[in-house]
Amino acid sequence: MTSLVIWENYRIFTSNKKMKKLLTLVAMLATFSSFGQESKITYLRAHNASMGVRQDENSPVSEWIVDDREVNILVELHQTKVVIYSKTTQNYYVINAVDAPTGTSKWLCKDSEAKSCYLVMRVDENYPGLLIVAVEYDDLVWFYICTKE
């Protein structure tokens, strides 16, 4: 009887479209915010990529060099590093987590050449099931639109 009541409450709660979006958002954030804390590998598949340049770390992108290109790129989230398998394999080593707005996770990283960058992950409630992964340097930003594998 108790499980029937719980199921009925869950069904009513999720019948609202906004609640479904909220539940999806919370579930994805819980999955991806645990990155850097667990030892298992999480796999993402990037379907679109964009690259832009900017004046400095706090500036918006001023020019898009690659704009929403269709790709098929594997992204591995390890405990202390991220590997992006594009034309060249990119390794980003996590230094520490950084404060970020609600719905966003951000880490200070070093790439294979010891250059500092930020790895940013966020979900957009307008695109349920998708995760935006960004690699941000002071003057260059890569955006990947991903799904979890």
Side-chain angles (χ1 to χ4, degrees), residues 70 83 103 115 141 147:
E70 285 188 32
V83 182
K115 293 180 184 174
V141 180
T147 55

Side-chain angles (χ1 to χ4, degrees), residues 45-49 69-73 130 144-147:
R45 179 68 60 183
H47 301 283
N48 296 81
R69 179 181 295 163
E70 285 188 32
V71 295
N72 184 8
I73 297 173
L130 298 179
Y144 300 93
I145 308 300
C146 304
T147 55

Side-chain angles (χ1 to χ4, degrees), residues 39-92:
S39 60
K40 73 176 195 167
I41 300 172
T42 300
Y43 296 96
L44 305 176
R45 179 68 60 183
H47 301 283
N48 296 81
S50 299
M51 182 179 70
V53 294
R54 58 187 183 178
Q55 296 292 3
D56 59 49
E57 178 182 337
N58 299 316
S59 300
V61 173
S62 58
E63 179 184 352
W64 291 101
I65 297 169
V66 176
D67 191 15
D68 200 29
R69 179 181 295 163
E70 285 188 32
V71 295
N72 184 8
I73 297 173
L74 178 65
V75 178
E76 290 181 350
L77 306 177
H78 297 259
Q79 183 177 3
T80 58
K81 78 174 181 176
V82 174
V83 182
I84 299 176
Y85 294 97
S86 58
K87 285 184 181 178
T88 60
T89 301
Q90 304 164 54
N91 292 289
Y92 301 99

Side-chain angles (χ1 to χ4, degrees), residues 96-126:
N96 62 288
V98 178
D99 288 336
T102 303
T104 302
S105 296
K106 187 173 184 177
W107 296 269
L108 174 63
C109 298
K110 294 278 186 178
D111 65 14
S112 299
E113 298 174 0
K115 293 180 184 174
S116 293
C117 61
Y118 290 100
L119 178 74
V120 181
M121 290 187 224
R122 70 179 179 87
V123 293
D124 186 331
E125 67 180 26
N126 296 319

